[in-house]
Amino acid sequence: MSDTYDYDLFVIGAGSGGVRAARLTALGGKRVAIAEEFRVGGTCVIRGCVPKKFMVMASEVSHALEIAEGYGWSFDNAQFDWPKFLEAKDVEIARLSGIYAANLGKAGVELVHGRAILKDAHTVAILDKSGAESRQITAEKILIATGGRPWKPESLPGIEHAITSEEAFHLPELPKRILIAGGGYIAVEFAGIFAGLGVETTLIYRGPNILRGFDDDVRAHLAGEIEKRGIKVILGCQHRSLEKTATGIVNHLENGMKLETDVVMFATGRIPYVADLGLSKAGVELNDEGAIKVDPYSKTTADNIWAIGDVTDRMNLTPVAIREAVAFHETVYRNNPQHFDYEAVATAVFSQPPVGVVGLTEAEARHSCSKGVDVYVTRFRPMKYAFTGSDERVLMKLVVDADTQRVVGVHIVGPDSPEMIQLAAIAVKAGLTKAQWDATCAVHPTMAEELVTLKEKQSQNTSAG
Ligand code: NDP
């Protein structure tokens, strides 16, 4: 430990990654401070995963009521109260943010309120809300964990009338009509949220099908299922402009369509939050995509500065940022060099129905498995919907390396798929074979039992060539 600096470690950004790294390092006996310009908890807790999941759960109730009616229940005049929900959500988010802050304190981390910018490789300035410099702090090592920010195409005429997910968490009233632009996680999740809450919802995406990068069967299946839930999906089309009128916002689309809605939300991606951080003064370089350039151990181009989480744009998921934080701590403070293994990380899209996936898509597997792949697919109506007249279907797909017989990809669209995929991920990560999956006795009657009873190959042992 060196007394040359105020702190051994200074962390910029108190989100999931930054908080974990700060706490571990302080608990290890180092002098640690962390700066946060907004609220402790970061994107995940304050304006991402957690409030989003509450919104999904609120929205799913309408579907649960429909199912319940099939089972003989009746609900007279069931109503949803948006302000009441927002209030409850905000109370819970404040509670969670408070726990994060308290845990920092318990670990001995100093929490610095304000925006931190780099003056040089060992010095940060803290800016107050007016942008004035309130303090200078020096640190032997610095960790940047500032996350990302929503991005929308600023050159699009009328884009100032569109919101992003950040504002969607605080809309003063529930709109009657919403249009969401984009086809990624956030677009699909929010389309489901608003549709479930009774909002007339349109999703517009420029590509041939939503969720680019996911397995093609998942993309096709989900697009069909969300349409069954009442979402109007417009594919292969973008905005030409947006126009504010007395009654709403008119979406002028490339295909000549004009569509008026009350709210327009752009979910067209997120970018690393590096603006005005002073990176160049500290010798920290960006890559071609504008993310902080790091080596496998999360070290930047400056010798004493590391970066983790969305600001490095590697795999933008909360649990990954946390693992990167742990690997940073082990490498830098415990003489145990570690880097996170990005293989077979399970992920869930909280659409309605949700998606859970782990491992390779069929197309990726055909590319990487030299002797081809065996593919097992089933589509079925969940038992739960038997009395509803619903024709909603679950999709389950296993992708198996034909040579080794290892299950290399699992793709599920349907109720509870995020819960199922967490467990399936253990088997994929462990490299278990299809025969080992099949040797596992089914739990009956469940949806998940299909995963261990899939017998018929959809496609045989053919490689991409
Ligand atoms: P994504 O990168 O997933 O999706 C962005 C979407 O916007 C894509 O469909 C993209 O199209 C489209 N797009 C990009 N630029 C334009 C443009 N100029 N005009 C029209 N459409 C455009 O970003 P999200 O914002 O949805 O999410 C950001 C990240 O956050 C995710 O990738 C994920 O890592 C993380 N996340 C994870 C969640 C979870 O785990 N459940 C939930 C939410 C976010 P195209 O595909 O053609 O490029």
Side-chain angles (χ1 to χ4, degrees), residues 52 183-186 189 205-206 212 238 267-269 316-317 348:
K52 179 274 307 287
Y185 282 81
I186 296 179
E189 291 180 341
Y205 173 53
R206 63 182 178 180
R212 182 167 63 84
Q238 306 195 63
T268 42
N316 299 332
L317 299 170

Side-chain angles (χ1 to χ4, degrees), residues 106-169:
K106 280 184 210 155
V109 177
E110 191 201 335
L111 177 58
V112 179
H113 294 282
R115 177 166 169 71
I117 58 166
L118 293 158
K119 300 286 262 190
D120 61 43
H122 290 283
T123 313
V124 293
I126 307 299
L127 310 183
D128 63 22
K129 280 194 180 128
S130 71
E133 195 175 307
S134 59
R135 190 174 163 192
Q136 281 211 13
I137 296 172
T138 59
E140 185 187 18
K141 295 184 172 74
I142 293 173
L143 177 69
I144 304 171
T146 48
R149 285 289 176 275
W151 176 87
K152 49 183 186 173
E154 293 304 336
S155 59
L156 185 75
I159 190 69
E160 66 277 13
H161 304 305
I163 63 164
T164 68
S165 57
E166 307 227 325
E167 295 88 356
F169 289 118

Side-chain angles (χ1 to χ4, degrees), residues 268-343:
T268 42
R270 295 175 61 85
I271 53 170
Y273 187 36
V274 292
D276 306 321
L277 257 182
L279 296 178
S280 58
K281 289 183 187 156
V284 176
E285 291 173 19
L286 299 180
N287 65 20
D288 292 343
E289 278 75 47
I292 293 182
K293 204 191 268 183
V294 284
D295 71 9
Y297 298 95
S298 296
K299 190 171 183 176
T300 71
T301 48
D303 255 356
N304 66 313
I305 303 182
W306 285 258
I308 55 168
D310 289 8
V311 77
T312 62
D313 198 21
R314 286 174 284 184
M315 192 178 273
N316 299 332
L317 299 170
T318 296
V320 172
I322 292 171
R323 291 297 183 103
E324 288 170 352
V326 174
F328 156 79
H329 173 73
E330 289 291 323
T331 302
V332 176
Y333 290 107
R334 293 176 60 89
N335 197 23
N336 176 26
Q338 271 191 13
H339 52 79
F340 178 63
D341 172 11
Y342 297 88
E343 288 262 311

